[in-house]
Amino acid sequence: MDGDVPGYTLMVAGRRTGKTAFLRLLLDTSLVSPSATPDQLSSLARFIHGSSGHTTHIRSVSLNVELDPLEAPQSQRAPFTLTLLDTPSLDPRDEVASE
């Protein structure tokens, strides 16, 4: 690799419908790359442990992950950065949130 790791970003938004639980499941089932930095691992721990209550502000985590070696061909196993954004619930009755 030349130092640049490709990346993907996923943001979830909407009403109280399990957005945070979905992101936690995605992280729990992701294969963390050996190239993940200590800062990424620390951020991951804060993201997972800080998601027990209602999301009151936008939270994010970026982590180097790899595809499952049993499901991906050798040529597709390079790590990539997965960035997840969790948002507070949106209520269409709230004028500020609607804008």
Side-chain angles (χ1 to χ4, degrees):
M1 288 190 317
D2 61 358
D4 290 330
V5 178
Y8 299 95
T9 300
L10 174 66
M11 180 177 86
V12 292
R15 298 182 93 177
R16 291 184 124 182
T17 57
K19 300 179 303 294
T20 301
F22 169 71
L23 294 177
R24 288 187 70 183
L25 176 65
L26 186 58
L27 288 169
D28 286 344
T29 58
S30 294
L31 181 62
V32 177
S33 173
S35 67
T37 67
D39 285 342
Q40 287 179 337
L41 297 174
S42 176
S43 176
L44 172 64
R46 283 192 310 275
F47 187 89
I48 289 177
H49 295 296
S51 62
S52 60
H54 178 69
T55 304
T56 58
H57 60 282
I58 295 175
R59 301 173 343 112
S60 68
V61 62
S62 292
L63 182 67
N64 290 352
V65 297
E66 294 180 355
L67 295 176
D68 185 340
L70 299 176
E71 297 180 13
Q74 181 69 29
S75 62
Q76 295 178 354
R77 291 190 200 161
F80 60 93
T81 301
L82 179 62
T83 301
L84 303 178
L85 299 167
D86 192 10
T87 63
S89 296
L90 298 175
D91 188 344
R93 296 171 289 182
D94 181 5
E95 287 184 31
V96 175
S98 298
E99 292 176 8

